[in-house]
Amino acid sequence: MDPSHPMFPKRERDSQYQLSSKRRITQNDELSSFGTSPQHQPFQVTYNCGPSVSKTGLQVKPHGPSSSKTGSQLKPFQVNQNCKASSSKPFNVSNTIISSRSFNTKKTSPKVQRTTEPKNTNSPLFKISNKKDGAKLKHLRRHSDDASSSYIIDKEKQTTTFENQSSLISHRRAKNKVECALKLFQTYVRESNLVGYSIPIEASKFLKRRGMFVHDGKKIIGDVPGIEVGDEFQYFEVLNVVGLHRKIFNGIDHVRYNGMFIATSVVSCRLYDDKLDDAELVISTGEQGNVINNQNQPRENLALMYSLYAENPVRVIIKLNSKNASGSVNGGEKYCYFGLYKVVRFWQIIGKLGYKFLLVKSPDQKKVACNDMRKRKQILKREKCLNYFEDISHGKEDFHIPMINCVDSEGVPNFRYVTQMVNLERYKPKKYSPLKGNVGCECVGNCSDSDQCSCAMKNRGKFLFNRNGIVEETKKDMIYECGHFCKCSSNCRNRVSQNGIKFPLEIFKTKTKGWGVRSKKKIPSGSFICEYLGEIIEDEQAVKMIDNDEYLFNIGSTNHKDGVFTIDASKYGNMARFINHSCSPNLFCLNVLFDHDDVRIPHIMLFAAEDIPQKTELTYNYNYKIDQVVDNGVVKKKYCYCGASNCIGRLY
Ligand SMILES: C[S@@+](CC[C@H](N)C(=O)[O-])C[C@H]1O[C@@H](n2cnc3c(N)ncnc32)[C@H](O)[C@@H]1O
C-alpha cells in the first residue's frame, strides 16, 4: 500500500474511533475496500389527512364506520332517510370552474341542526334549517346537472374519450402545463441543497413565484383539466401546484359557492396499502374542531355536509403509505388521484365531536387508479412477499429501485432518497474551487489522447476506464474523471461513475443482516455499481453519533489540517446505504473526483470486483478492526453473518 494513499492513514483513524467509542465503515486500503366495488366487499376505510398526520394534527384511527365504537347499524350503501343520496343513480354532475374573483363574498353560514339525539345510532341526522340555503342547493344541483362534461370515460375500455376536438386540445394543453410544472418541481427538489420537509414547500413557492401553478386562482369543482384518474404525485404540495387540492395544511378543500361551502377535494390516508384495490368507497373523518354544538361546525365539515345535498363531485386523492415493523407510517408515500366521488352520508362519531363521511366513487370513473397497485399485488403473490415497494427512489434514478421483503412486514425505512451528496457545497472551500485551479481538460470531443488530456495526466498519464466503462485500475488512491469544468463532450470515456447506475438493483430483506442489495442482472467485473451517498458531516460531529452510527462512512484522510469528513447516510442516502459487509466481498470502492478538486471530500464509488451473477447479494468490506470499536470504554462486538468461507466471525 502506498503511504501517499489518502486512505492510508485510516488505521490511525481507526484507533481514534476506539478512543472516541465510534465505529463506522472505512474504506479499505486493499482491493476489497469496500372503498372497492360495493358488490364485492364492505367499504374500505381511509382517513383524511394533510401532508402528514402530525402536521395537520388530525387523528388517524384504524376503525371504520361499522366498528362498534361508532355504533353504526347501517349496512354499506344503506342511506338513512334524512340523508338521502342514491348511490345507484349515476352521477349527474360535471366540471365547474370558479374564478376566485367570482366568489360570492357575502357570508351566509348555513345552519345545520340535529333532528334527534344520536344514541346508539350514527345515522345522518341533519337537515338544512335555512330555506335560502335549500334553494341555493337546488340551484347548485341544477347547475351541475346542466353543465356538460368535457370528456367521457368509457368504463369498459377504461379509456377517456373527449366530446369534441376543442376539449381534447384544451385537455392536452393543460396536461402539458401540468407536466412542465412537475418537471420544474422535481428539478428544484433534486438540485436544491435544502433538507427535510422544507424542500417541497420551497419548491412550491418557487413555482408560484414563476407563475407555474396550473389553474392558478381558479377553484375547480369536478375534473381538473390535465389530470387523469390514476395520476400520481410525490408530494402533498404538488397537489396544490396542479390544481387538484388547494389546501396546504388541510385534507379537505372547499369553495364558497353561492354563499355556501361545498367540498371540492379530499386527501385521504390509507394505512394499509397492501390491501389496496380500487377504492369505490371512502370514509373520511371530518375535521374535529372544538365544536360545542352543531351550529359551530368547522367549515370543512359543513362543506362535506352541503356536498351531500348539492351532490357535487368531490375529488378524492389517496395518500399511499408504507407501514414499517414498528407500525409507524413512513417512507414510500405518494398521492394518487382516485377520481370523482360523491358524499352519500355522514354521521357523528359516538363520544366525539367529529363526523365521518361516506363517499362513493362515481360509476363513470376509471376503476383501477394506480397502475403500480395491481403490479404490487401480483408481485406480492408471485414472490410470496410480505411487503413490496416499486421504487424507493421515487423516480429519481434511471431505474426503479424496488424494495422486496419476504422475511417480515417491515416497510421502507425512514430516510430521504437522494441522488447527490447533501451538504457538499458547504464544505467545498474556495481554494479548491475548479475556477481557480486548473481542473478541467482542454480536449475537444471525446478524450482520446492520454498525453494531451490533463485529467488522464492526473491519473498518471492513463485513462482508467476502457471503452465499455470498465475500470481497469483497482488500487488507485484517487481517480480523476473528466467533469463539469472540462471542455470534452459528455460522452467522453473518462466519465463513468458520475453518470449514475447502469445496472438495475433491488433492495431485499435478508434473514440475518437486515436489508441488503442485489442486482437484477449479471454484472461484469469492473463495472460501476453506485455511489455511497449521504450527508457530508465533519468528523467531530460523526464521533458524537453514538446511537446512530450504522451508516457512517469515513472519507478522505486524517492528514488534512483543515477538516476531516464522514458521509452520514442515516437521514439521506441512496441504495448504497443498504449494502452489507462481507469478508469475501464482490465490490470494491474508489475515490473519484470530477466536480471539484478537494481530495478531502472525494466521491465514494463502488465497482464490481468480479463477475457477479444475477440476484447475488452485493457486498464490500467495511474494514472494521476487531476489538477496536469502543463505546463508553466497553469494547463492542458485532457478529458477522456474511457466510463467506474465510469469514472471521465478527464485523468488529
Ligand atoms: C450500512 S448498514 C447496511 C444495511 C443494513 N443491513 C440495513 O438493514 O439497513 C450496516 C449495518 O448492517 C448490518 N450488517 C451489515 N453487514 C453485516 C454482516 N455481514 N453481518 C451482520 N450484520 C451486518 C449491521 O447491523 C451493520 O451495522
mmCIF file of all heavy atoms in Angstrom, residues 23 25 410 413 508-510 512-516 532 549-552 569 576-583 617 619-620 622 624 638-643 647 651-652, ligand 1:
data_model
loop_
_atom_site.group_PDB
_atom_site.id
_atom_site.type_symbol
_atom_site.label_atom_id
_atom_site.label_comp_id
_atom_site.label_asym_id
_atom_site.label_seq_id
_atom_site.Cartn_x
_atom_site.Cartn_y
_atom_site.Cartn_z
ATOM 1 N N ARG A 23 -17.551 3.606 15.797
ATOM 2 C CA ARG A 23 -17.254 2.656 14.751
ATOM 3 C C ARG A 23 -17.947 3.155 13.505
ATOM 4 O O ARG A 23 -18.925 3.886 13.580
ATOM 5 C CB ARG A 23 -17.792 1.266 15.103
ATOM 6 C CG ARG A 23 -19.276 1.179 15.024
ATOM 7 C CD ARG A 23 -19.740 -0.176 15.456
ATOM 8 N NE ARG A 23 -21.109 -0.098 15.874
ATOM 9 C CZ ARG A 23 -22.129 -0.033 15.044
ATOM 10 N NH1 ARG A 23 -21.941 -0.027 13.767
ATOM 11 N NH2 ARG A 23 -23.363 0.025 15.494
ATOM 12 N N ILE A 25 -17.981 2.508 8.858
ATOM 13 C CA ILE A 25 -17.449 1.816 7.708
ATOM 14 C C ILE A 25 -16.218 2.588 7.251
ATOM 15 O O ILE A 25 -16.244 3.804 7.206
ATOM 16 C CB ILE A 25 -18.474 1.824 6.575
ATOM 17 C CG1 ILE A 25 -19.796 1.271 7.085
ATOM 18 C CG2 ILE A 25 -17.977 1.075 5.373
ATOM 19 C CD1 ILE A 25 -20.955 1.689 6.243
ATOM 20 N N GLU A 410 -41.727 -5.456 7.532
ATOM 21 C CA GLU A 410 -41.126 -4.113 7.606
ATOM 22 C C GLU A 410 -41.200 -3.391 6.258
ATOM 23 O O GLU A 410 -40.975 -3.992 5.205
ATOM 24 C CB GLU A 410 -39.655 -4.215 8.053
ATOM 25 C CG GLU A 410 -39.053 -2.838 8.279
ATOM 26 C CD GLU A 410 -37.561 -2.863 8.594
ATOM 27 O OE1 GLU A 410 -37.014 -3.941 8.837
ATOM 28 O OE2 GLU A 410 -36.976 -1.758 8.584
ATOM 29 N N PRO A 413 -37.540 1.925 5.261
ATOM 30 C CA PRO A 413 -37.033 2.662 6.431
ATOM 31 C C PRO A 413 -37.123 4.167 6.222
ATOM 32 O O PRO A 413 -37.216 4.652 5.088
ATOM 33 C CB PRO A 413 -35.572 2.208 6.527
ATOM 34 C CG PRO A 413 -35.490 0.975 5.719
ATOM 35 C CD PRO A 413 -36.509 1.092 4.646
ATOM 36 N N PHE A 508 -33.486 -5.954 -0.791
ATOM 37 C CA PHE A 508 -34.264 -7.092 -0.298
ATOM 38 C C PHE A 508 -33.946 -7.313 1.169
ATOM 39 O O PHE A 508 -32.887 -6.894 1.659
ATOM 40 C CB PHE A 508 -33.963 -8.351 -1.131
ATOM 41 C CG PHE A 508 -32.590 -8.928 -0.897
ATOM 42 C CD1 PHE A 508 -32.419 -10.087 -0.166
ATOM 43 C CD2 PHE A 508 -31.461 -8.287 -1.387
ATOM 44 C CE1 PHE A 508 -31.153 -10.612 0.070
ATOM 45 C CE2 PHE A 508 -30.190 -8.799 -1.151
ATOM 46 C CZ PHE A 508 -30.035 -9.954 -0.434
ATOM 47 N N LYS A 509 -34.859 -7.952 1.844
ATOM 48 C CA LYS A 509 -34.655 -8.197 3.277
ATOM 49 C C LYS A 509 -33.918 -9.519 3.446
ATOM 50 O O LYS A 509 -34.359 -10.554 2.933
ATOM 51 C CB LYS A 509 -36.015 -8.236 3.981
ATOM 52 C CG LYS A 509 -35.941 -8.202 5.501
ATOM 53 C CD LYS A 509 -35.604 -6.805 6.008
ATOM 54 C CE LYS A 509 -35.341 -6.740 7.495
ATOM 55 N NZ LYS A 509 -36.546 -6.573 8.271
ATOM 56 N N THR A 510 -32.772 -9.471 4.135
ATOM 57 C CA THR A 510 -32.034 -10.707 4.392
ATOM 58 C C THR A 510 -32.550 -11.300 5.710
ATOM 59 O O THR A 510 -33.227 -10.608 6.480
ATOM 60 C CB THR A 510 -30.521 -10.439 4.521
ATOM 61 O OG1 THR A 510 -30.306 -9.679 5.718
ATOM 62 C CG2 THR A 510 -29.966 -9.665 3.339
ATOM 63 N N THR A 512 -30.611 -12.354 8.249
ATOM 64 C CA THR A 512 -29.783 -12.081 9.433
ATOM 65 C C THR A 512 -29.123 -10.703 9.455
ATOM 66 O O THR A 512 -28.599 -10.292 10.469
ATOM 67 C CB THR A 512 -28.651 -13.129 9.516
ATOM 68 O OG1 THR A 512 -28.029 -13.198 8.217
ATOM 69 C CG2 THR A 512 -29.160 -14.496 9.918
ATOM 70 N N LYS A 513 -29.140 -9.995 8.330
ATOM 71 C CA LYS A 513 -28.360 -8.753 8.268
ATOM 72 C C LYS A 513 -29.220 -7.522 7.997
ATOM 73 O O LYS A 513 -28.710 -6.492 7.585
ATOM 74 C CB LYS A 513 -27.291 -8.867 7.168
ATOM 75 C CG LYS A 513 -26.309 -10.000 7.385
ATOM 76 C CD LYS A 513 -25.390 -10.183 6.198
ATOM 77 C CE LYS A 513 -26.119 -10.788 5.028
ATOM 78 N NZ LYS A 513 -25.304 -11.086 3.878
ATOM 79 N N GLY A 514 -30.504 -7.627 8.177
ATOM 80 C CA GLY A 514 -31.381 -6.506 7.820
ATOM 81 C C GLY A 514 -31.540 -6.455 6.304
ATOM 82 O O GLY A 514 -31.544 -7.485 5.625
ATOM 83 N N TRP A 515 -31.609 -5.238 5.760
ATOM 84 C CA TRP A 515 -31.759 -5.082 4.312
ATOM 85 C C TRP A 515 -30.427 -5.326 3.609
ATOM 86 O O TRP A 515 -29.368 -5.106 4.200
ATOM 87 C CB TRP A 515 -32.238 -3.673 3.959
ATOM 88 C CG TRP A 515 -33.587 -3.349 4.503
ATOM 89 C CD1 TRP A 515 -33.872 -2.607 5.612
ATOM 90 C CD2 TRP A 515 -34.849 -3.758 3.968
ATOM 91 N NE1 TRP A 515 -35.225 -2.525 5.800
ATOM 92 C CE2 TRP A 515 -35.856 -3.217 4.805
ATOM 93 C CE3 TRP A 515 -35.243 -4.519 2.870
ATOM 94 C CZ2 TRP A 515 -37.218 -3.422 4.576
ATOM 95 C CZ3 TRP A 515 -36.598 -4.722 2.637
ATOM 96 C CH2 TRP A 515 -37.565 -4.185 3.482
ATOM 97 N N GLY A 516 -30.473 -5.762 2.380
ATOM 98 C CA GLY A 516 -29.280 -5.913 1.563
ATOM 99 C C GLY A 516 -29.602 -5.477 0.139
ATOM 100 O O GLY A 516 -30.737 -5.123 -0.175
ATOM 101 N N TYR A 532 -21.755 5.850 -2.864
ATOM 102 C CA TYR A 532 -22.243 5.873 -1.480
ATOM 103 C C TYR A 532 -22.600 7.330 -1.175
ATOM 104 O O TYR A 532 -21.735 8.193 -1.057
ATOM 105 C CB TYR A 532 -21.168 5.374 -0.507
ATOM 106 C CG TYR A 532 -21.711 5.120 0.882
ATOM 107 C CD1 TYR A 532 -22.092 3.841 1.280
ATOM 108 C CD2 TYR A 532 -21.894 6.157 1.802
ATOM 109 C CE1 TYR A 532 -22.615 3.595 2.549
ATOM 110 C CE2 TYR A 532 -22.414 5.924 3.063
ATOM 111 C CZ TYR A 532 -22.770 4.644 3.432
ATOM 112 O OH TYR A 532 -23.311 4.410 4.685
ATOM 113 N N ASP A 549 -24.814 5.197 14.286
ATOM 114 C CA ASP A 549 -23.573 5.230 13.520
ATOM 115 C C ASP A 549 -23.477 4.110 12.482
ATOM 116 O O ASP A 549 -22.413 3.848 11.953
ATOM 117 C CB ASP A 549 -22.369 5.190 14.476
ATOM 118 C CG ASP A 549 -22.420 3.987 15.402
ATOM 119 O OD1 ASP A 549 -23.379 3.216 15.308
ATOM 120 O OD2 ASP A 549 -21.502 3.830 16.220
ATOM 121 N N GLU A 550 -24.589 3.471 12.189
ATOM 122 C CA GLU A 550 -24.544 2.328 11.262
ATOM 123 C C GLU A 550 -24.272 2.737 9.828
ATOM 124 O O GLU A 550 -23.860 1.935 9.014
ATOM 125 C CB GLU A 550 -25.882 1.570 11.293
ATOM 126 C CG GLU A 550 -26.072 0.785 12.551
ATOM 127 C CD GLU A 550 -27.012 -0.386 12.373
ATOM 128 O OE1 GLU A 550 -27.552 -0.545 11.267
ATOM 129 O OE2 GLU A 550 -27.205 -1.122 13.333
ATOM 130 N N TYR A 551 -24.553 3.997 9.517
ATOM 131 C CA TYR A 551 -24.461 4.422 8.117
ATOM 132 C C TYR A 551 -23.360 5.460 7.892
ATOM 133 O O TYR A 551 -23.426 6.252 6.969
ATOM 134 C CB TYR A 551 -25.820 4.961 7.652
ATOM 135 C CG TYR A 551 -26.911 3.933 7.776
ATOM 136 C CD1 TYR A 551 -27.720 3.879 8.910
ATOM 137 C CD2 TYR A 551 -27.112 2.987 6.783
ATOM 138 C CE1 TYR A 551 -28.698 2.911 9.042
ATOM 139 C CE2 TYR A 551 -28.081 2.016 6.906
ATOM 140 C CZ TYR A 551 -28.868 1.978 8.034
ATOM 141 O OH TYR A 551 -29.839 1.015 8.160
ATOM 142 N N LEU A 552 -22.363 5.473 8.786
ATOM 143 C CA LEU A 552 -21.263 6.429 8.638
ATOM 144 C C LEU A 552 -20.160 5.820 7.773
ATOM 145 O O LEU A 552 -19.827 4.646 7.920
ATOM 146 C CB LEU A 552 -20.686 6.782 10.006
ATOM 147 C CG LEU A 552 -21.632 7.474 10.989
ATOM 148 C CD1 LEU A 552 -20.932 7.723 12.311
ATOM 149 C CD2 LEU A 552 -22.154 8.788 10.414
ATOM 150 N N ALA A 569 -25.188 8.458 6.050
ATOM 151 C CA ALA A 569 -26.340 8.082 5.191
ATOM 152 C C ALA A 569 -27.558 7.705 6.040
ATOM 153 O O ALA A 569 -28.453 7.042 5.553
ATOM 154 C CB ALA A 569 -25.936 6.923 4.283
ATOM 155 N N ALA A 576 -26.979 2.536 -1.775
ATOM 156 C CA ALA A 576 -25.694 2.078 -1.230
ATOM 157 C C ALA A 576 -25.732 1.922 0.283
ATOM 158 O O ALA A 576 -24.976 1.134 0.845
ATOM 159 C CB ALA A 576 -24.588 3.044 -1.637
ATOM 160 N N ARG A 577 -26.609 2.685 0.939
ATOM 161 C CA ARG A 577 -26.671 2.587 2.401
ATOM 162 C C ARG A 577 -27.139 1.203 2.868
ATOM 163 O O ARG A 577 -27.012 0.853 4.023
ATOM 164 C CB ARG A 577 -27.573 3.696 2.977
ATOM 165 C CG ARG A 577 -29.046 3.415 2.846
ATOM 166 C CD ARG A 577 -29.905 4.620 3.120
ATOM 167 N NE ARG A 577 -30.040 5.014 4.508
ATOM 168 C CZ ARG A 577 -30.815 4.450 5.406
ATOM 169 N NH1 ARG A 577 -31.536 3.376 5.085
ATOM 170 N NH2 ARG A 577 -30.890 4.914 6.635
ATOM 171 N N PHE A 578 -27.701 0.421 1.938
ATOM 172 C CA PHE A 578 -28.209 -0.903 2.305
ATOM 173 C C PHE A 578 -27.218 -2.032 1.978
ATOM 174 O O PHE A 578 -27.530 -3.196 2.185
ATOM 175 C CB PHE A 578 -29.539 -1.184 1.589
ATOM 176 C CG PHE A 578 -30.634 -0.234 2.001
ATOM 177 C CD1 PHE A 578 -31.094 0.744 1.142
ATOM 178 C CD2 PHE A 578 -31.194 -0.322 3.260
ATOM 179 C CE1 PHE A 578 -32.092 1.626 1.517
ATOM 180 C CE2 PHE A 578 -32.194 0.550 3.656
ATOM 181 C CZ PHE A 578 -32.640 1.529 2.784
ATOM 182 N N ILE A 579 -26.058 -1.675 1.403
ATOM 183 C CA ILE A 579 -25.113 -2.734 1.023
ATOM 184 C C ILE A 579 -24.391 -3.246 2.269
ATOM 185 O O ILE A 579 -23.840 -2.464 3.050
ATOM 186 C CB ILE A 579 -24.107 -2.228 -0.046
ATOM 187 C CG1 ILE A 579 -24.875 -1.729 -1.281
ATOM 188 C CG2 ILE A 579 -23.128 -3.338 -0.422
ATOM 189 C CD1 ILE A 579 -23.998 -1.178 -2.392
ATOM 190 N N ASN A 580 -24.407 -4.541 2.446
ATOM 191 C CA ASN A 580 -23.845 -5.154 3.651
ATOM 192 C C ASN A 580 -22.360 -5.459 3.494
ATOM 193 O O ASN A 580 -21.802 -5.417 2.396
ATOM 194 C CB ASN A 580 -24.612 -6.436 3.976
ATOM 195 C CG ASN A 580 -25.975 -6.114 4.559
ATOM 196 O OD1 ASN A 580 -26.105 -5.205 5.383
ATOM 197 N ND2 ASN A 580 -26.994 -6.839 4.129
ATOM 198 N N HIS A 581 -21.770 -5.830 4.624
ATOM 199 C CA HIS A 581 -20.352 -6.191 4.674
ATOM 200 C C HIS A 581 -20.170 -7.676 4.348
ATOM 201 O O HIS A 581 -21.024 -8.504 4.669
ATOM 202 C CB HIS A 581 -19.824 -5.914 6.080
ATOM 203 C CG HIS A 581 -18.597 -6.692 6.408
ATOM 204 N ND1 HIS A 581 -17.325 -6.232 6.129
ATOM 205 C CD2 HIS A 581 -18.434 -7.918 6.967
ATOM 206 C CE1 HIS A 581 -16.443 -7.124 6.523
ATOM 207 N NE2 HIS A 581 -17.088 -8.171 7.031
ATOM 208 N N SER A 582 -19.036 -7.998 3.720
ATOM 209 C CA SER A 582 -18.668 -9.407 3.591
ATOM 210 C C SER A 582 -17.155 -9.529 3.737
ATOM 211 O O SER A 582 -16.397 -8.635 3.335
ATOM 212 C CB SER A 582 -19.110 -9.972 2.235
ATOM 213 O OG SER A 582 -18.579 -11.276 2.091
ATOM 214 N N CYS A 583 -16.732 -10.650 4.321
ATOM 215 C CA CYS A 583 -15.300 -10.910 4.438
ATOM 216 C C CYS A 583 -14.751 -11.343 3.079
ATOM 217 O O CYS A 583 -13.538 -11.409 2.878
ATOM 218 C CB CYS A 583 -15.055 -11.997 5.487
ATOM 219 S SG CYS A 583 -15.679 -11.520 7.103
ATOM 220 N N GLU A 617 -26.209 -11.179 -3.807
ATOM 221 C CA GLU A 617 -26.098 -10.022 -2.916
ATOM 222 C C GLU A 617 -24.786 -9.285 -3.163
ATOM 223 O O GLU A 617 -23.726 -9.898 -3.322
ATOM 224 C CB GLU A 617 -26.187 -10.446 -1.443
ATOM 225 C CG GLU A 617 -26.118 -9.206 -0.571
ATOM 226 C CD GLU A 617 -26.312 -9.403 0.918
ATOM 227 O OE1 GLU A 617 -26.535 -10.533 1.378
ATOM 228 O OE2 GLU A 617 -26.224 -8.379 1.616
ATOM 229 N N THR A 619 -21.790 -6.889 -1.857
ATOM 230 C CA THR A 619 -21.168 -6.618 -0.555
ATOM 231 C C THR A 619 -19.805 -5.968 -0.752
ATOM 232 O O THR A 619 -19.179 -6.130 -1.794
ATOM 233 C CB THR A 619 -20.928 -7.929 0.232
ATOM 234 O OG1 THR A 619 -20.193 -8.832 -0.611
ATOM 235 C CG2 THR A 619 -22.226 -8.595 0.663
ATOM 236 N N TYR A 620 -19.364 -5.238 0.240
ATOM 237 C CA TYR A 620 -17.976 -4.771 0.267
ATOM 238 C C TYR A 620 -17.461 -4.945 1.687
ATOM 239 O O TYR A 620 -18.229 -5.273 2.595
ATOM 240 C CB TYR A 620 -17.842 -3.320 -0.225
ATOM 241 C CG TYR A 620 -18.595 -2.290 0.562
ATOM 242 C CD1 TYR A 620 -17.986 -1.574 1.587
ATOM 243 C CD2 TYR A 620 -19.917 -2.007 0.286
ATOM 244 C CE1 TYR A 620 -18.678 -0.616 2.309
ATOM 245 C CE2 TYR A 620 -20.637 -1.056 0.998
ATOM 246 C CZ TYR A 620 -20.007 -0.369 2.005
ATOM 247 O OH TYR A 620 -20.699 0.575 2.716
ATOM 248 N N TYR A 622 -16.247 -3.680 5.124
ATOM 249 C CA TYR A 622 -16.373 -2.455 5.921
ATOM 250 C C TYR A 622 -15.047 -2.070 6.586
ATOM 251 O O TYR A 622 -14.901 -0.946 7.054
ATOM 252 C CB TYR A 622 -17.405 -2.653 7.030
ATOM 253 C CG TYR A 622 -18.861 -2.642 6.599
ATOM 254 C CD1 TYR A 622 -19.246 -2.557 5.276
ATOM 255 C CD2 TYR A 622 -19.859 -2.702 7.557
ATOM 256 C CE1 TYR A 622 -20.585 -2.547 4.910
ATOM 257 C CE2 TYR A 622 -21.197 -2.693 7.215
ATOM 258 C CZ TYR A 622 -21.565 -2.620 5.885
ATOM 259 O OH TYR A 622 -22.890 -2.603 5.542
ATOM 260 N N TYR A 624 -13.777 -2.826 9.472
ATOM 261 C CA TYR A 624 -13.726 -2.545 10.908
ATOM 262 C C TYR A 624 -12.531 -3.289 11.485
ATOM 263 O O TYR A 624 -12.083 -4.305 10.939
ATOM 264 C CB TYR A 624 -14.987 -3.069 11.604
ATOM 265 C CG TYR A 624 -16.251 -2.315 11.309
ATOM 266 C CD1 TYR A 624 -17.414 -3.005 10.981
ATOM 267 C CD2 TYR A 624 -16.313 -0.934 11.405
ATOM 268 C CE1 TYR A 624 -18.596 -2.336 10.747
ATOM 269 C CE2 TYR A 624 -17.496 -0.253 11.164
ATOM 270 C CZ TYR A 624 -18.631 -0.964 10.843
ATOM 271 O OH TYR A 624 -19.796 -0.300 10.608
ATOM 272 N N LYS A 638 -19.774 -7.202 17.200
ATOM 273 C CA LYS A 638 -20.900 -7.476 16.280
ATOM 274 C C LYS A 638 -20.526 -8.703 15.461
ATOM 275 O O LYS A 638 -19.457 -8.727 14.836
ATOM 276 C CB LYS A 638 -21.159 -6.273 15.382
ATOM 277 C CG LYS A 638 -22.378 -6.455 14.517
ATOM 278 C CD LYS A 638 -23.175 -5.181 14.408
ATOM 279 C CE LYS A 638 -24.593 -5.449 14.043
ATOM 280 N NZ LYS A 638 -25.481 -4.379 14.389
ATOM 281 N N TYR A 639 -21.399 -9.700 15.466
ATOM 282 C CA TYR A 639 -21.101 -10.927 14.739
ATOM 283 C C TYR A 639 -21.375 -10.744 13.263
ATOM 284 O O TYR A 639 -22.309 -10.027 12.878
ATOM 285 C CB TYR A 639 -21.898 -12.098 15.325
ATOM 286 C CG TYR A 639 -21.446 -12.397 16.729
ATOM 287 C CD1 TYR A 639 -22.220 -11.995 17.818
ATOM 288 C CD2 TYR A 639 -20.227 -13.016 16.948
ATOM 289 C CE1 TYR A 639 -21.771 -12.223 19.110
ATOM 290 C CE2 TYR A 639 -19.768 -13.235 18.244
ATOM 291 C CZ TYR A 639 -20.539 -12.842 19.320
ATOM 292 O OH TYR A 639 -20.082 -13.039 20.583
ATOM 293 N N CYS A 640 -20.534 -11.388 12.476
ATOM 294 C CA CYS A 640 -20.678 -11.263 11.029
ATOM 295 C C CYS A 640 -21.448 -12.465 10.490
ATOM 296 O O CYS A 640 -21.145 -13.608 10.829
ATOM 297 C CB CYS A 640 -19.296 -11.186 10.377
ATOM 298 S SG CYS A 640 -19.386 -11.077 8.596
ATOM 299 N N TYR A 641 -22.432 -12.181 9.668
ATOM 300 C CA TYR A 641 -23.232 -13.255 9.061
ATOM 301 C C TYR A 641 -23.056 -13.292 7.551
ATOM 302 O O TYR A 641 -23.973 -13.621 6.821
ATOM 303 C CB TYR A 641 -24.713 -13.060 9.406
ATOM 304 C CG TYR A 641 -24.986 -13.104 10.891
ATOM 305 C CD1 TYR A 641 -25.335 -11.949 11.592
ATOM 306 C CD2 TYR A 641 -24.879 -14.292 11.598
ATOM 307 C CE1 TYR A 641 -25.578 -11.982 12.958
ATOM 308 C CE2 TYR A 641 -25.120 -14.339 12.968
ATOM 309 C CZ TYR A 641 -25.463 -13.178 13.635
ATOM 310 O OH TYR A 641 -25.695 -13.221 14.986
ATOM 311 N N CYS A 642 -21.834 -12.910 7.098
ATOM 312 C CA CYS A 642 -21.653 -12.837 5.645
ATOM 313 C C CYS A 642 -21.660 -14.230 5.003
ATOM 314 O O CYS A 642 -21.986 -14.379 3.826
ATOM 315 C CB CYS A 642 -20.370 -12.092 5.289
ATOM 316 S SG CYS A 642 -18.855 -13.005 5.620
ATOM 317 N N GLY A 643 -21.319 -15.247 5.761
ATOM 318 C CA GLY A 643 -21.391 -16.626 5.244
ATOM 319 C C GLY A 643 -20.219 -17.016 4.371
ATOM 320 O O GLY A 643 -20.194 -18.132 3.822
ATOM 321 N N CYS A 647 -14.787 -16.146 6.491
ATOM 322 C CA CYS A 647 -15.375 -15.176 7.430
ATOM 323 C C CYS A 647 -14.672 -15.269 8.786
ATOM 324 O O CYS A 647 -14.477 -16.361 9.325
ATOM 325 C CB CYS A 647 -16.870 -15.446 7.591
ATOM 326 S SG CYS A 647 -17.641 -14.377 8.822
ATOM 327 N N LEU A 651 -17.845 -8.600 12.733
ATOM 328 C CA LEU A 651 -17.749 -7.367 11.941
ATOM 329 C C LEU A 651 -16.762 -6.442 12.651
ATOM 330 O O LEU A 651 -15.946 -5.775 12.052
ATOM 331 C CB LEU A 651 -19.129 -6.710 11.904
ATOM 332 C CG LEU A 651 -19.641 -6.215 10.574
ATOM 333 C CD1 LEU A 651 -20.006 -7.423 9.730
ATOM 334 C CD2 LEU A 651 -20.885 -5.360 10.752
ATOM 335 N N TYR A 652 -16.933 -6.392 13.983
ATOM 336 C CA TYR A 652 -15.995 -5.648 14.840
ATOM 337 C C TYR A 652 -16.062 -6.228 16.239
ATOM 338 O O TYR A 652 -16.931 -7.049 16.526
ATOM 339 C CB TYR A 652 -16.292 -4.139 14.855
ATOM 340 C CG TYR A 652 -17.719 -3.760 15.113
ATOM 341 C CD1 TYR A 652 -18.217 -3.674 16.419
ATOM 342 C CD2 TYR A 652 -18.590 -3.489 14.056
ATOM 343 C CE1 TYR A 652 -19.533 -3.311 16.653
ATOM 344 C CE2 TYR A 652 -19.886 -3.128 14.282
ATOM 345 C CZ TYR A 652 -20.369 -3.029 15.588
ATOM 346 O OH TYR A 652 -21.664 -2.683 15.811
HETATM 347 C C1 LIG B 1 -24.687 0.223 6.187
HETATM 348 S S1 LIG B 1 -25.781 -0.768 7.063
HETATM 349 C C2 LIG B 1 -26.185 -1.971 5.856
HETATM 350 C C3 LIG B 1 -27.660 -2.098 5.664
HETATM 351 C C4 LIG B 1 -28.369 -2.719 6.794
HETATM 352 N N1 LIG B 1 -28.354 -4.156 6.685
HETATM 353 C C5 LIG B 1 -29.807 -2.229 6.870
HETATM 354 O O1 LIG B 1 -30.715 -3.009 7.094
HETATM 355 O O2 LIG B 1 -30.019 -1.024 6.729
HETATM 356 C C6 LIG B 1 -24.691 -1.588 8.160
HETATM 357 C C7 LIG B 1 -25.361 -2.500 9.158
HETATM 358 O O3 LIG B 1 -25.860 -3.667 8.527
HETATM 359 C C8 LIG B 1 -25.613 -4.829 9.337
HETATM 360 N N2 LIG B 1 -24.675 -5.692 8.644
HETATM 361 C C9 LIG B 1 -24.036 -5.433 7.503
HETATM 362 N N3 LIG B 1 -23.276 -6.469 7.132
HETATM 363 C C10 LIG B 1 -23.412 -7.424 8.056
HETATM 364 C C11 LIG B 1 -22.866 -8.719 8.241
HETATM 365 N N4 LIG B 1 -22.025 -9.261 7.380
HETATM 366 N N5 LIG B 1 -23.246 -9.412 9.336
HETATM 367 C C12 LIG B 1 -24.094 -8.888 10.229
HETATM 368 N N6 LIG B 1 -24.648 -7.674 10.105
HETATM 369 C C13 LIG B 1 -24.312 -6.935 9.041
HETATM 370 C C14 LIG B 1 -25.005 -4.309 10.616
HETATM 371 O O4 LIG B 1 -26.036 -4.104 11.520
HETATM 372 C C15 LIG B 1 -24.406 -3.009 10.206
HETATM 373 O O5 LIG B 1 -24.278 -2.119 11.278
#
